[in-house]
Amino acid sequence: MKPRYFFFTAVAVFAFLSFLPSVSADTVESGYIKKNALVTDHFRIEYSDLTKAQSDTDGDMVPDIVETVSYAAERSRDIIIDELGYEDPMADSSRELMIILDDTLEYLGSGEIGITSFLSNGDPFIAVNPWSDRNYLFGTVAHEFFHCMQFGYDSDFIGVFNEPSYQGINWAEANAVWSEDLVFGWIDSYIGNESLSFFFSYPDYSVFASETPDLMFKYGLNIWPRFLAEYYGDSVVRNIWEEYVSSSFDTYNNLKFYYAVSHVIRNKGDDLSNIFQKFTLWNLDPSKYEEGASYPEVFSIEGTETGPDYYMLIDEYYAPELFATNYLYFDNINKENDFNFHIVKPEGVSFAVSLVPYDNGMADSDVAITTIIDKNSKMDDQLVLSGIADIDGVYAVVSPLNKDFDSELNTGVFDGGYFYYYSADYSSESTLIGDSQENLIVDANITDKTSETDNGEFAVDSLTLSISDYDADSVTLSWNSLINQEITSYEIHYGKISGDYSDEKKINQNHLTSTIITGLEEGETYYFELHALGSQGEDVVDPSQEVAVTTGKWIFSDVSFMDEHFGAISALTESGILKGYSDGSFGPTKDINRAELLKVLIEARGIAPDSQKYNNCFLDVEDDWYAPYVCYAKNMGWVKGYSDGTFRPSTPVNKVEALKILFQVYEAGLYEENPVASLKYPDLDTNAWYAIYVWKASQLGILEESPGINFNPSAYSTRGGVAEEVYRYLVGLGEL
C-alpha cells in the first residue's frame, strides 16, 4: 500500500513546549506498512521495531511516542469532527485512518515533520517524524488530520491530480495551522513558531493570493481564518469550506475561494469589503484578538508629510494587492491637532482607507476614521483626524478591494499590486486639499509583485540564508524561495572554518526552504553557505551570504533535547530557578521532596529568604540549606508541620500535595471546603480535600495528565514533572 504521491507537508523550523500525555492502547497488532500497529477507535498507527524499542514508561508494551501520537490523533478527531461538525474523511470506509511513524524518513523529505497523502486504495494517510519534539507532534497530527478532512470533502479540491490551485493550497494550509490551535490551544504553536510573522511582514500580499513572497506565507495566513472565526465563531470556517467545495466554479479558478468567503459573509448580513477593513484594523490593533498581546507588529511604511498640494506615489515596491494592505505611519513630531489624508487611486478598484491614532506604543482602532471609496470613483473627500495634539502619530491604512472580475476568470487577479498617490498633512487646523490631484493619473494596470524587489526587505533573485533553530548537535537552516524555474536542487556547504567548508548536504526538493544539519559537535562554531543549483549542478544565482552559529551544550547529563520536560527544565535553569546536582545531572525522574519543592517555588517568585532570619523553625529544620525556604514558608502560612513538631523535609511529595503547596505559594483564595462540580479524572473524588487544587490546575492548563485517564493522586511528584507544572504556571502568569 505505497502512496501514489505526496502533497501537504509540514516543515520543522521551530521549537514548542514539551508535554507528554499518556493514552491507553486499544489493540496492538501487526502492521501493513510498518511491522507494528496500534489500533485505536479511529486510527491505525504504524511503527517499526526501531520505534518499538523506545521508552515505554507505563509498561504497556506501547512506546510513549506511539501513545502521544494516538492521543493527538483522537483528540484532533474529537474536536474537528465531533465538536465542530466537519465531515469524517473516513466516513465511507470500514478502515481506520492510517498514521505512519516515519522513523527512517521513507516518506518525509529533509526538514519535513508531517505529510498528508493517499494510499493506493484511495484512503488518505498521514506520515509524521516520530523524532520530533512532543509538541511538534501534537501540532503536526492536528494539522495533517485537518488536511485529511479537506480531502474528505473533495479529493481533488485543489486540483492536485492536474494543475494545482495555489490559492486553494494557501487556504488549506492557513486553515490547518488554525486547527492546531483549536485542538491544542495551550501550546499556541502559531505564535511560538513565529508563523504569524510571515503574514505580518508582508501585509501588501493578498489573503486571496496565488503567488506569495515566501513559501511560509501560507502558514502565516492562518490569521485570516482566525480573524473570521473570532469575529463570527468557529463554524464560519466550516461554512466557507462547504461553500468552497460545493461551488460551481472550476477548481483552478482563482476567484473560487474569494466567492466562497464573500457568499458566507453575505449570508451573515455583512459585506466582504467592510469585514476586510475590520481585519486590517485588528492586525494594527491586535488587542482585538483573544491572544493578540503576543502577536508581532505588522510591517509599516514610514509616511511622508507632503503638504496639501503635493502627492507621493506608492509604486511597485509596496503597492498592495486586492484585499491586502499598506500601513503608512506619520509621526506627529510637532504635536499638531489635525491630520489630513487624501489618496488618488485607479478607477475600477474600490479602496478602503482608515486613519488610526497611535500613542504609547498602541494603535486605537476603536476611534479610527474609516471610509471605502467606490471603484468607479478616482478620488474622494479627504479624511481628517482631529483632537490628536497629545498623541505620537497616525496610521493611514490603505487597502485595494473589489473590482469587476468578469473578464478575468482564470487569471491571477489577486497577484498584482495597485499604485496610488497620497497626500498627508499635519496642521493646527484642517487644510483643504488643493486641485493638483486633477492632473494625477493612476494607471489601472497592476504591477507583478513577484518580479519586483521589496526595497531590500525581500529579494526574489538572491538567496538569503538564516538560522531558524539549533541545539547541541544540529542546526535548522531556512531560506527564501526564488521565483526561478531553473533551480532543481540546493546544496548547503558548511564547516568550522569561515569560507573553507569541509562538508555539504544536497537537498533535491527544489520547493523546500528549510533543512536540518545533524551530527554536529557540541559547543562548536559552524559556518554555512547555501547554493541554488540548476540541472547540471551549476549555481543559478549567487550563493547566499555566510551565516554562523555556535551549537548548544547539554544543560544536564541526564536531560536530553528529546526529554519531554526539556523545555521546562532548560527555561527554569536559565532563569536561575532550578539547579542540578554536583555531578552534572538533574534527576528528572527522581521524586521531589518537601524541601526541594519549597526552594523551587519560592525562588520562582524571585524571593531569596535571609538565612540569618529564617532558621530553626521545626525540630528537624535547623540551619540546613533548605532552612530559609522552609522557615520563610512557615512564616507566610504556606506550610505547617506535623503534630510532633517536625517538618520532614526529605519526605517525597505526592502529586496533590505538590499542587496544594504550589497554590499556597502563588494563589490566595483557594479553600478546600469550596465545592467542585466535576473533575476530568475518573479516580478523583470531587469531595476530597485536594479537589479544589486539581480543578484549578486543570483550569489553568498546567497539568500533564490527559483528561479521562486516572490521575493517581498518591503517586509522588518528580523533579521533571514539577518543573513542567511550574514552568507552565509562570508562562501563564507572563513571568517567563
Side-chain angles (χ1 to χ4, degrees):
M1 298 175 71
K2 292 294 184 182
R4 289 194 299 217
Y5 62 86
F6 301 128
F7 192 66
F8 283 115
T9 65
V11 179
V13 294
F14 310 113
F16 306 149
L17 309 178
S18 294
F19 178 74
L20 177 63
S22 176
V23 176
S24 59
D26 288 352
T27 305
V28 178
E29 58 184 50
S30 296
Y32 300 144
I33 293 179
K34 298 290 185 179
K35 188 173 181 180
N36 312 287
L38 172 66
V39 181
T40 69
D41 289 344
H42 304 99
F43 297 89
R44 166 178 285 271
I45 302 168
E46 304 257 337
Y47 56 100
S48 70
D49 282 345
L50 176 61
T51 299
K52 184 178 180 181
Q54 303 307 306
S55 173
D56 175 21
T57 55
D58 57 5
D60 64 352
M61 306 302 290
V62 178
D64 296 342
I65 193 63
V66 178
E67 293 183 336
T68 296
V69 172
S70 68
Y71 164 79
E74 289 291 351
R75 178 178 173 85
S76 298
R77 189 193 179 283
D78 287 348
I79 292 176
I80 294 171
I81 305 300
D82 294 341
E83 292 188 17
L84 296 180
Y86 289 87
E87 291 185 10
D88 185 350
M90 303 297 287
D92 297 329
S93 174
S94 60
R95 295 174 294 275
E96 302 87 7
L97 195 152
M98 183 177 294
I99 301 178
I100 301 170
L101 302 192
D102 191 14
D103 49 22
T104 58
L105 302 186
E106 181 180 359
Y107 303 103
L108 296 165
S110 174
E112 296 172 351
I113 57 174
I115 63 166
T116 299
S117 186
F118 290 94
L119 298 168
S120 56
N121 64 3
D123 287 347
F125 81 95
I126 295 169
V128 297
N129 184 343
W131 310 128
S132 305
D133 176 271
R134 298 304 191 274
N135 282 357
Y136 269 127
L137 283 173
F138 284 166
T140 300
V141 171
H143 184 108
E144 301 302 335
F145 180 76
F146 203 81
H147 284 326
C148 287
M149 180 280 302
Q150 293 162 347
F151 282 122
Y153 276 98
D154 181 353
S155 61
D156 199 26
F157 77 91
I158 52 173
V160 295
F161 294 113
N162 298 285
E163 181 69 23
S165 162
Y166 287 97
Q167 191 184 84
I169 293 172
N170 291 343
W171 175 236
E173 291 292 9
N175 277 230
V177 175
W178 170 74
S179 74
E180 295 175 32
D181 196 50
L182 285 178
V183 179
F184 297 107
W186 63 84
I187 300 176
D188 285 340
S189 59
Y190 76 103
I191 299 175
N193 69 10
E194 300 179 354
S195 69
L196 283 183
S197 66
F198 292 103
F199 178 86
F200 278 72
S201 296
Y202 299 104
D204 49 319
Y205 281 81
S206 175
V207 296
F208 301 114
S210 305
E211 299 177 355
T212 56
D214 194 295
L215 285 179
M216 300 300 291
F217 180 87
K218 55 182 173 285
Y219 301 103
L221 190 57
N222 79 84
I223 192 65
W224 179 223
R226 186 173 306 280
F227 163 78
L228 293 172
E230 291 197 24
Y231 192 80
Y232 289 114
D234 291 338
S235 63
V236 69
V237 180
R238 189 191 75 244
N239 298 154
I240 294 171
W241 268 108
E242 292 167 347
E243 180 73 26
Y244 185 88
V245 299
S246 65
S247 172
S248 59
F249 276 95
D250 192 294
T251 299
Y252 323 122
N253 190 310
N254 283 322
L255 293 172
K256 185 172 183 178
F257 170 41
Y258 162 77
Y259 280 122
V261 176
S262 298
H263 290 170
V264 169
I265 289 177
R266 188 179 303 119
N267 289 338
K268 294 183 178 296
D270 290 321
D271 177 77
L272 176 59
S273 294
N274 292 322
I275 295 304
F276 184 81
Q277 187 173 41
K278 291 182 184 294
F279 172 64
T280 68
L281 296 179
W282 280 37
N283 293 339
L284 181 62
D285 178 11
S287 65
K288 302 297 183 185
Y289 290 100
E290 181 180 352
E291 298 173 321
S294 301
Y295 286 5
E297 290 186 7
V298 69
F299 173 77
S300 61
I301 303 167
E302 184 176 353
T304 300
E305 190 176 352
T306 65
D309 293 313
Y310 182 75
Y311 284 78
M312 292 292 296
L313 173 66
I314 296 295
D315 56 13
E316 63 267 18
Y317 290 130
Y318 296 121
E321 298 173 344
L322 296 179
F323 292 94
T325 308
N326 283 160
Y327 294 90
L328 309 172
Y329 179 69
F330 300 86
D331 196 356
N332 190 9
I333 298 174
N334 297 319
K335 299 300 181 183
E336 300 285 359
N337 189 64
D338 297 320
F339 177 72
N340 313 289
F341 186 79
H342 187 271
I343 73 168
V344 180
K345 67 170 187 64
E347 292 187 49
V349 183
S350 64
F351 265 56
V353 182
S354 305
L355 299 185
V356 186
Y358 179 84
D359 195 44
N360 295 320
M362 297 181 63
D364 188 355
S365 63
D366 289 335
V367 295
I369 302 296
T370 65
T371 190
I372 293 180
I373 308 173
D374 184 80
K375 62 175 178 278
N376 296 319
S377 173
K378 177 182 174 183
M379 66 195 82
D380 198 15
D381 292 338
Q382 67 179 359
L383 289 183
V384 180
L385 188 63
S386 300
I388 57 171
D390 296 326
I391 70 168
D392 295 332
V394 174
Y395 274 98
V397 184
V398 180
S399 303
L401 299 173
N402 285 309
K403 62 175 296 182
D404 294 327
F405 296 119
D406 293 344
S407 62
E408 304 176 84
L409 291 180
N410 290 296
T411 60
V413 295
F414 298 103
D415 297 322
Y418 287 80
F419 293 13
Y420 64 91
Y421 290 92
Y422 74 80
S423 175
D425 178 46
Y426 276 109
S427 65
S428 297
E429 297 179 358
S430 297
T431 303
L432 293 177
I433 298 296
D435 295 330
S436 60
Q437 72 270 18
E438 294 293 345
N439 299 318
L440 295 175
I441 299 176
V442 184
D443 192 344
N445 293 327
I446 61 177
T447 178
D448 181 2
K449 291 178 66 64
T450 58
S451 65
E452 301 295 339
T453 301
D454 195 0
N455 241 7
E457 296 295 329
F458 167 65
V460 297
D461 57 354
S462 63
L463 285 172
T464 302
L465 183 66
S466 61
I467 306 292
S468 298
D469 198 5
Y470 67 92
D471 54 29
D473 57 8
S474 69
V475 171
T476 300
L477 301 164
S478 61
W479 56 91
N480 58 310
S481 59
L482 301 185
I483 303 174
N484 189 320
Q485 300 303 318
E486 298 178 7
I487 297 174
T488 60
S489 61
Y490 295 97
E491 272 185 1
I492 300 288
H493 296 183
Y494 64 99
K496 295 182 182 179
I497 301 174
S498 175
D500 184 8
Y501 310 116
S502 57
D503 297 285
E504 67 179 45
K505 179 177 180 180
K506 186 74 173 288
I507 299 105
N508 291 318
Q509 297 95 336
N510 63 357
H511 65 282
L512 292 183
T513 57
S514 178
T515 191
I516 300 176
I517 305 293
T518 59
L520 305 180
E521 296 180 27
E522 177 183 347
E524 293 286 340
T525 299
Y526 286 87
Y527 301 87
F528 303 88
E529 184 180 84
L530 174 68
H531 293 253
L533 307 180
S535 59
Q536 303 302 315
E538 76 282 9
D539 281 303
V540 174
V541 297
D542 290 338
S544 71
Q545 290 187 334
E546 182 181 80
V547 297
V549 67
T550 301
T551 54
K553 293 186 177 181
W554 299 109
I555 300 176
F556 299 108
S557 59
D558 55 351
V559 180
S560 78
F561 289 92
M562 293 299 292
D563 192 290
E564 64 266 29
H565 300 129
F566 173 80
I569 293 171
S570 60
L572 295 181
T573 301
E574 290 172 4
S575 301
I577 296 170
L578 291 183
K579 294 179 180 178
Y581 296 106
S582 57
D583 63 357
S585 66
F586 179 77
T589 61
K590 289 182 59 176
D591 299 337
I592 192 168
N593 63 40
R594 289 160 60 83
E596 291 173 325
L597 178 61
L598 283 174
K599 181 178 186 295
V600 169
L601 296 177
I602 291 173
E603 288 192 344
R605 287 198 60 173
I607 299 171
D610 185 350
S611 60
Q612 300 300 313
K613 179 178 180 181
Y614 297 104
N615 54 59
N616 292 294
C617 53
F618 292 103
L619 294 178
D620 53 354
V621 178
E622 299 176 349
D623 57 357
D624 310 272
W625 65 265
Y626 49 76
Y629 305 99
V630 175
C631 296
Y632 181 84
K634 179 185 180 183
N635 182 67
M636 296 296 294
W638 295 338
V639 297
K640 298 178 181 179
Y642 292 91
S643 58
D644 61 0
T646 64
F647 179 73
R648 304 176 193 176
S650 60
T651 300
V653 182
N654 68 35
K655 292 163 67 174
V656 289
E657 290 171 337
L659 287 175
K660 176 178 180 178
I661 295 174
L662 184 151
F663 286 123
Q664 293 283 62
V665 173
Y666 272 94
E667 293 261 351
L670 291 181
Y671 303 102
E672 293 174 8
E673 61 270 19
N674 285 354
V676 173
S678 63
L679 294 172
K680 298 179 179 180
Y681 307 97
D683 63 336
L684 297 186
D685 183 357
T686 56
N687 295 314
W689 65 267
Y690 55 71
I692 188 65
Y693 304 113
V694 177
W695 175 84
K696 182 66 174 181
S698 180
Q699 291 292 106
L700 293 173
I702 67 174
L703 297 176
E704 291 188 274
E705 293 78 10
S706 300
I709 67 171
N710 285 341
F711 187 85
N712 298 318
S714 60
Y716 290 138
S717 288
T718 64
R719 287 166 56 84
V722 165
E724 190 69 45
E725 291 178 352
V726 171
Y727 175 69
R728 293 186 190 184
Y729 188 77
L730 294 180
V731 168
L733 291 179
E735 296 184 7
L736 272 183

